[in-house]
Amino acid sequence: MPKLSQEMKDLLTEEMRKRILTAGEKILLRDGLDEFTMEKLAHEAGTAAGTIYNYFDNKETIIDAIMENSFQRLLQTTAGIAAKPQPAESMLRELAEFMLEDFKRVRRLHEAIMQRHPPISREKMRTGHRKLIDGVSQIIRQGRNNGEFNTDDMVLAASAFLGIIREMQFDPCGLFEHKTSRELADAAVAICRSGILGRGREK
Amino acid sequence: MPKLSQEMKDLLTEEMRKRILTAGEKILLRDGLDEFTMEKLAHEAGTAAGTIYNYFDNKETIIDAIMENSFQRLLQTTAGIAAKPQPAESMLRELAEFMLEDFKRVRRLHEAIMQRHPPISREKMRTGHRKLIDGVSQIIRQGRNNGEFNTDDMVLAASAFLGIIREMQFDPCGLFEHKTSRELADAAVAICRSGILGRGREK
Amino acid sequence: MPKLSQEMKDLLTEEMRKRILTAGEKILLRDGLDEFTMEKLAHEAGTAAGTIYNYFDNKETIIDAIMENSFQRLLQTTAGIAAKPQPAESMLRELAEFMLEDFKRVRRLHEAIMQRHPPISREKMRTGHRKLIDGVSQIIRQGRNNGEFNTDDMVLAASAFLGIIREMQFDPCGLFEHKTSRELADAAVAICRSGILGRGREK
Amino acid sequence: MPKLSQEMKDLLTEEMRKRILTAGEKILLRDGLDEFTMEKLAHEAGTAAGTIYNYFDNKETIIDAIMENSFQRLLQTTAGIAAKPQPAESMLRELAEFMLEDFKRVRRLHEAIMQRHPPISREKMRTGHRKLIDGVSQIIRQGRNNGEFNTDDMVLAASAFLGIIREMQFDPCGLFEHKTSRELADAAVAICRSGILGRGREK
DNA sequence: TATGAATGAGGCTTCATTCAT
DNA sequence: CATGAATGAAGCCTCATTCAT
């Protein structure tokens, strides 16, 4: 009984943590960081404010965890994509599409979180971003080893790729609203391949 | 007297508004939005907290105005660059450099401001961004008219360009710290020209 | 079975009460009243917070009981000392030493408890103190009956004696840190005998 | 104007600080530290909670200041008494009376404050107590120089004196309620002179 | 119009106590 | 009876905004 009960308890605890984080993400997405209050979080999670402190030390920890989760999802997907046997270009396309899709969901979350200094630990942001850059760099490196690409600065390339995607999903004016993630991903990869300026002068 | 005095008054008022906005920008740059308090703003502007409310309705309005200013500068620079007789590629390079230089200065400002929901009106953000996209689109269009470029989706191209720049200046991990704005601008334009992936397969 | 089981139960209950009080005293001594939380108490007592409420009505009751215990010990010792056949002065010396020794141990406890209004019932404090005064008065009365002392206001004398001791053990500046309880007890008794001012003018 | 106005402002500020401290002392006296809330303090001082923070950094600072004030009064009186040309014994009597009188007023204040660790800085307590001991020691030293007293341990003597007084004013059972401060002071000094035990054995 | 003290709503967090299991 | 998560009242403190001078 103690063993099983312990496992049970852990499970419930984990469940509750997830519930809180999910609620938090929802608020961040819907209302932004400025309206992320513990009271609101509790309400959204269906508990009392005090209860949350049984699962997290304080507000900052929660924001951190949400951010961490979000990066985790992204990094795992990146790793998964990089592991499949396929041309690097396909990888980038797939990743772009996932990011556009995921970021459509998480757009406001990242918007809300990213540039906030305190109370959000910049460190988490830094390492997360770094890992993401590394993941994309790996893909591009594979592409070079394949003979697909020819870049020598992987980090620069990865950064540009991410910048293009991020701008697409940031899109505060709704310029790309009518395009599907698929189309945008294709466009992004096309740009990566040939530049944004087309080949006007190559003639 | 009434006429002149009125003009005088307006001038003074305008002067005061500027002083407040300048002070606000300074604080945003130095301390971030979270430490932007009205008291601090008053102190930095050399007045009293109450006085500020004679010139602005509330805090949000001030943040809005600062954001507006920042966009204005950028848009004017963009227009200025676009007006000079030179190849479009040079324009982009010049713009990139300015942005990287300016954003180095203003990084925290944009970091702080962008994507914050209330108390920052999303609307201002939206229109500012839209105008910026338009400005860059114009440059690219000129390039196409020149025969320099070959793109048919100006907006997409402009967006990608901005995304690449923004990612470079966001750079939370300091990947590009050791590079000059000049070098980064060159790299950005190179990417725009040939893609981030080089020409591995063109062989 | 009912009878025995009832006794058994009572015994266990009493055991549990003791365990809780001991744990409480330990916390009070170690951490002070401000850090005396029910959770901590439960942990120290090896049970759960909720369980404690099966043995005590609320936090205040527990603090009360601890205080009561502490006084009990002191009173019993006093009675024990007073029962031994010895000069009253020796009794006072012995009592002083015990108090200084005990209070060294319990300093924080008394520091923490004494004079705290709610949640500590002043009543308990009052009666405890009263009994202590009475105990010391008894000793002094014996001394007078012996011909050792000559006071006619026992209560005043007892109060002064206790005040001297308490001040010695309160000693927030560590004035007496380097003295042993024995030495301090001797000094206290000497003062009781001859006054604090010596006999300068008696010459 | 600026000069005068500045003085005016300082005066008002000082006035407000005093009002807050007075209110705080009143609460401490009446309700104890546990019921000393900022809300209550504000109410008692006739302002809003937020206002208080224009005059003090936080709650602890306020408690500190009240304690400091209380010690100040005591120390100044002590110094004043010690400065008057009179026998040391009269000084002690006068001091005892003041303390009993003042402490009657401040009893609960010291009761409330003294043994609390955080949030009350123990340091302030320590230094205050130390100065008090020193002040009384000075008086006793004068007595010895006069030939009035004969003690060689001033600190011990001062400590005992204070202990006797403190016990008298602590008096949780009301043993001395019917006595005037004058009578108690006399009794205290008598004890200091001849000991608490009278001169039973001197015969 | 300038001032800056006053206001008070609202945020985060703690913890005694309850109660379903 | 034991458990310990849930509760929510209450405490401290901040700060945008108002208003008397």
Side-chain angles (χ1 to χ4, degrees):
Chain A
M1 193 187 83
K3 190 70 174 302
L4 190 66
S5 143
Q6 183 54 35
E7 280 175 19
M8 199 60 185
K9 221 182 294 174
D10 286 359
L11 220 69
L12 285 176
T13 291
E14 200 43 46
E15 201 49 45
M16 189 60 163
R17 285 179 60 94
K18 250 184 236 162
R19 208 165 91 204
I20 292 169
L21 292 181
T22 305
E25 209 178 297
K26 192 167 166 189
I27 292 173
L28 243 27
L29 260 54
R30 191 187 57 211
D31 308 329
L33 183 55
D34 284 318
E35 298 189 16
F36 185 104
T37 70
M38 295 304 281
E39 215 65 44
K40 200 181 230 181
L41 176 58
H43 182 77
E44 189 75 40
T47 57
T51 304
I52 296 177
Y53 288 85
N54 288 335
Y55 298 92
F56 295 94
D57 278 350
N58 51 35
K59 189 178 174 176
E60 182 170 358
T61 313
I62 296 171
I63 306 275
D64 262 15
I66 294 174
M67 192 158 67
E68 176 92 18
N69 269 4
S70 159
F71 269 117
Q72 281 303 334
R73 266 199 312 265
L74 190 50
L75 291 173
Q76 278 168 17
T77 304
T78 307
I81 290 172
K84 280 198 251 175
Q86 57 179 328
E89 203 178 296
S90 304
M91 291 178 184
L92 288 184
R93 180 175 296 110
E94 205 178 330
L95 179 56
E97 192 172 348
F98 171 76
M99 285 179 72
L100 285 161
E101 201 55 56
D102 186 53
F103 275 30
K104 194 179 287 171
R105 206 175 56 74
V106 184
R107 178 190 307 187
R108 295 189 73 151
L109 186 147
H110 274 209
E111 284 179 10
I113 286 182
M114 279 176 54
Q115 290 85 349
R116 201 67 174 292
H117 304 210
I120 298 175
S121 92
R122 243 177 138 46
E123 196 47 33
K124 201 131 262 174
M125 168 87 245
R126 218 188 308 273
T127 62
H129 188 262
R130 178 70 219 225
K131 283 184 194 160
L132 185 54
I133 291 276
D134 286 346
V136 178
S137 296
Q138 287 310 320
I139 292 180
I140 295 175
R141 189 183 316 278
Q142 285 187 42
R144 195 184 57 174
N145 295 346
N146 283 349
E148 281 181 80
F149 307 149
N150 199 7
T151 327
D152 50 352
D153 190 337
M154 311 301 158
V155 166
L156 181 65
S159 169
F161 173 76
L162 289 175
I164 292 168
I165 304 293
R166 234 196 276 269
E167 192 74 16
M168 281 174 169
Q169 50 86 358
F170 174 42
D171 186 23
C173 327
L175 299 173
F176 306 128
E177 261 174 6
H178 59 287
K179 301 204 180 175
T180 65
S181 297
R182 187 65 209 251
E183 288 167 341
L184 288 174
D186 282 339
V189 173
I191 287 171
C192 289
R193 198 188 324 104
S194 329
I196 65 175
L197 307 176
R199 301 227 177 71
R201 55 166 32 165
E202 292 197 9
K203 232 335 181 354
Chain B
M1 190 186 85
K3 191 73 172 299
L4 190 65
S5 145
Q6 183 54 36
E7 280 176 18
M8 200 60 180
K9 232 185 278 181
D10 287 358
L11 219 69
L12 285 176
T13 293
E14 200 43 45
E15 198 51 43
M16 189 59 164
R17 286 176 58 93
K18 248 184 242 164
R19 215 166 82 202
I20 291 168
L21 292 181
T22 305
E25 200 176 308
K26 193 166 166 190
I27 292 172
L28 242 27
L29 260 55
R30 194 186 53 210
D31 308 329
L33 183 54
D34 285 320
E35 298 187 19
F36 185 103
T37 69
M38 295 304 281
E39 211 68 46
K40 202 183 231 179
L41 176 59
H43 181 78
E44 190 76 40
T47 55
T51 304
I52 295 178
Y53 285 84
N54 290 329
Y55 298 93
F56 294 93
D57 279 350
N58 50 36
K59 189 176 175 178
E60 183 172 357
T61 314
I62 296 171
I63 305 275
D64 263 13
I66 293 174
M67 191 160 66
E68 175 91 19
N69 269 5
S70 162
F71 268 118
Q72 282 301 338
R73 263 202 313 268
L74 190 51
L75 291 173
Q76 278 168 18
T77 303
T78 308
I81 289 172
K84 279 199 250 175
Q86 58 178 328
E89 201 178 296
S90 303
M91 292 178 184
L92 289 184
R93 181 177 293 108
E94 206 177 327
L95 180 57
E97 192 172 349
F98 171 77
M99 286 180 71
L100 285 160
E101 201 57 55
D102 187 52
F103 275 31
K104 196 180 285 170
R105 203 176 60 74
V106 185
R107 181 190 303 191
R108 293 191 70 146
L109 187 145
H110 274 211
E111 281 181 10
I113 286 184
M114 277 166 52
Q115 297 113 341
R116 204 67 177 296
H117 307 200
I120 298 173
S121 92
R122 258 185 118 48
E123 194 47 34
K124 203 121 263 169
M125 171 86 242
R126 221 186 308 271
T127 64
H129 188 262
R130 179 69 218 227
K131 285 183 192 159
L132 186 54
I133 290 276
D134 285 346
V136 178
S137 295
Q138 289 308 322
I139 292 180
I140 295 175
R141 190 183 315 280
Q142 283 188 43
R144 197 183 55 175
N145 295 347
N146 280 350
E148 278 182 81
F149 308 149
N150 199 7
T151 327
D152 49 351
D153 190 337
M154 310 302 160
V155 166
L156 181 67
S159 169
F161 174 76
L162 289 175
I164 292 169
I165 303 295
R166 231 194 280 270
E167 191 73 17
M168 281 174 168
Q169 51 90 356
F170 174 45
D171 187 23
C173 330
L175 299 173
F176 306 128
E177 262 176 2
H178 58 287
K179 301 205 177 175
T180 65
S181 298
R182 185 65 209 251
E183 289 167 340
L184 289 174
D186 282 341
V189 173
I191 287 171
C192 290
R193 199 189 322 105
S194 329
I196 63 175
L197 308 176
R199 301 221 181 72
R201 55 169 31 168
E202 294 196 11
K203 241 320 184 11
Chain C
M1 188 186 85
K3 191 72 174 299
L4 190 67
S5 144
Q6 182 54 36
E7 279 176 19
M8 202 57 185
K9 232 186 274 180
D10 287 0
L11 219 70
L12 285 177
T13 292
E14 199 44 45
E15 200 51 43
M16 189 59 166
R17 286 178 58 93
K18 248 184 240 163
R19 214 165 84 201
I20 292 169
L21 293 180
T22 305
E25 202 176 306
K26 193 166 166 190
I27 292 173
L28 242 29
L29 261 56
R30 193 187 54 210
D31 308 329
L33 184 54
D34 284 320
E35 298 186 20
F36 185 104
T37 69
M38 295 302 281
E39 211 68 46
K40 202 183 231 181
L41 176 58
H43 182 76
E44 190 76 42
T47 53
T51 304
I52 295 178
Y53 286 83
N54 289 329
Y55 298 92
F56 294 94
D57 279 351
N58 51 35
K59 188 176 175 178
E60 182 172 358
T61 313
I62 297 171
I63 307 275
D64 264 14
I66 294 174
M67 190 160 65
E68 175 92 19
N69 270 5
S70 161
F71 269 118
Q72 282 303 336
R73 265 202 312 268
L74 190 51
L75 291 172
Q76 278 169 17
T77 303
T78 308
I81 289 172
K84 278 199 250 172
Q86 58 179 327
E89 202 179 295
S90 302
M91 292 178 182
L92 288 185
R93 179 176 295 109
E94 206 176 330
L95 180 57
E97 192 173 348
F98 171 76
M99 286 180 72
L100 285 161
E101 201 56 55
D102 187 52
F103 276 31
K104 194 178 288 171
R105 201 176 62 75
V106 186
R107 181 188 302 191
R108 294 191 68 147
L109 186 145
H110 274 211
E111 281 179 12
I113 286 183
M114 278 166 52
Q115 296 113 340
R116 204 64 178 297
H117 308 200
I120 298 174
S121 92
R122 256 187 120 46
E123 195 47 34
K124 205 120 259 174
M125 170 87 243
R126 221 187 307 273
T127 62
H129 188 262
R130 179 71 218 224
K131 284 184 194 160
L132 186 53
I133 291 276
D134 286 346
V136 178
S137 295
Q138 288 310 321
I139 292 181
I140 296 175
R141 189 182 316 279
Q142 284 187 43
R144 195 183 57 175
N145 295 348
N146 281 349
E148 279 183 81
F149 306 150
N150 199 6
T151 327
D152 50 351
D153 190 337
M154 310 303 157
V155 165
L156 181 65
S159 168
F161 173 76
L162 288 176
I164 292 169
I165 303 296
R166 234 195 278 269
E167 192 74 18
M168 281 173 168
Q169 51 87 356
F170 175 43
D171 187 23
C173 329
L175 299 172
F176 306 127
E177 261 175 5
H178 58 287
K179 302 205 179 177
T180 64
S181 299
R182 187 63 207 253
E183 289 166 341
L184 289 174
D186 283 339
V189 173
I191 286 170
C192 289
R193 201 191 320 106
S194 329
I196 64 175
L197 307 176
R199 301 225 179 70
R201 55 170 28 168
E202 294 197 10
K203 234 330 179 3
Chain D
M1 194 187 83
K3 189 73 174 299
L4 190 67
S5 142
Q6 182 54 36
E7 281 175 18
M8 199 61 183
K9 219 180 299 176
D10 287 359
L11 221 68
L12 285 176
T13 291
E14 201 42 46
E15 202 49 46
M16 189 59 163
R17 285 178 59 94
K18 251 183 235 162
R19 209 166 89 203
I20 292 169
L21 292 181
T22 305
E25 208 177 298
K26 194 167 165 189
I27 292 173
L28 242 27
L29 261 54
R30 193 187 54 210
D31 308 329
L33 183 53
D34 283 319
E35 297 189 17
F36 185 102
T37 70
M38 295 305 281
E39 213 65 43
K40 200 181 229 179
L41 176 59
H43 182 78
E44 189 75 40
T47 56
T51 304
I52 295 178
Y53 289 85
N54 289 334
Y55 298 93
F56 294 94
D57 278 351
N58 50 36
K59 188 177 174 178
E60 182 171 358
T61 313
I62 297 173
I63 306 275
D64 262 14
I66 294 175
M67 192 159 66
E68 176 93 17
N69 269 6
S70 159
F71 269 117
Q72 281 302 335
R73 267 200 311 267
L74 190 51
L75 291 173
Q76 278 168 16
T77 303
T78 307
I81 289 172
K84 280 199 252 174
Q86 59 178 326
E89 201 179 297
S90 303
M91 290 178 183
L92 288 184
R93 180 176 295 110
E94 206 177 329
L95 180 57
E97 192 173 350
F98 170 77
M99 286 181 70
L100 285 161
E101 202 56 54
D102 187 54
F103 275 31
K104 195 178 287 173
R105 207 174 56 73
V106 186
R107 179 190 307 187
R108 294 189 73 152
L109 187 145
H110 274 210
E111 284 178 10
I113 286 183
M114 279 175 53
Q115 290 85 349
R116 202 67 174 292
H117 306 209
I120 298 175
S121 91
R122 243 181 136 45
E123 196 48 32
K124 201 131 264 173
M125 169 86 245
R126 222 188 305 272
T127 63
H129 188 263
R130 180 68 217 228
K131 284 184 193 160
L132 185 54
I133 291 275
D134 287 345
V136 178
S137 296
Q138 289 308 321
I139 292 180
I140 295 175
R141 190 183 316 278
Q142 283 188 41
R144 197 185 55 176
N145 295 347
N146 282 349
E148 278 183 81
F149 305 150
N150 198 8
T151 328
D152 51 349
D153 190 337
M154 310 301 159
V155 165
L156 181 65
S159 169
F161 173 77
L162 289 174
I164 292 169
I165 304 293
R166 231 194 279 270
E167 191 73 18
M168 280 173 168
Q169 50 87 358
F170 173 42
D171 187 24
C173 331
L175 300 172
F176 307 126
E177 260 175 6
H178 59 287
K179 302 205 180 178
T180 66
S181 298
R182 186 67 209 250
E183 289 167 341
L184 288 174
D186 282 339
V189 172
I191 287 172
C192 288
R193 201 188 323 104
S194 330
I196 64 174
L197 307 175
R199 300 225 180 71
R201 55 169 29 170
E202 294 198 9
K203 235 338 185 346

